[in-house]
Amino acid sequence: MHGSSSAFLSGIILIFIGAIGSGVISFLTATGRLGSSPFGTLGMATILALVAGAISFLGFMMILIGIYRGLRSIDDLHKDRFGRS
């Protein structure tokens, strides 16, 4: 159960990091403080938003892995106790 809870917690933390990053990108774009880049301000905001979205997606997948590991360990405990498959 320890691996499932750490994966679940890691997923939640990654989702928060992605959400905070997305909010910071939106704020900097709206106030015009994103700065100049080779891609232009809007292009850089799009790239950073994609990165924040990818981090959030990774967090969501980590939560699913945590749920899967937890259910798997419960199933293993059930098999050990009752001897059924």
Side-chain angles (χ1 to χ4, degrees):
M1 282 292 257
H2 181 69
S4 64
S5 61
S6 64
F8 190 80
L9 186 61
S10 298
I12 290 175
I13 290 170
L14 283 173
I15 287 178
F16 278 131
I17 290 172
I20 290 170
S22 180
V24 168
I25 293 164
S26 298
F27 174 75
L28 291 176
T29 304
T31 58
R33 297 181 185 164
L34 193 58
S36 62
S37 67
F39 308 110
T41 304
L42 189 58
M44 190 63 172
T46 304
I47 291 170
L48 292 175
L50 285 173
V51 169
I55 291 172
S56 296
F57 179 74
L58 183 63
F60 179 69
M61 294 307 289
M62 288 295 289
I63 288 174
L64 289 180
I65 289 170
I67 291 171
Y68 173 75
R69 284 185 182 172
L71 291 175
R72 183 83 178 205
S73 66
I74 290 170
D75 187 42
D76 290 342
L77 288 174
H78 183 268
K79 285 180 185 176
D80 289 344
R81 178 169 289 181
F82 298 109
R84 297 182 202 147
S85 51

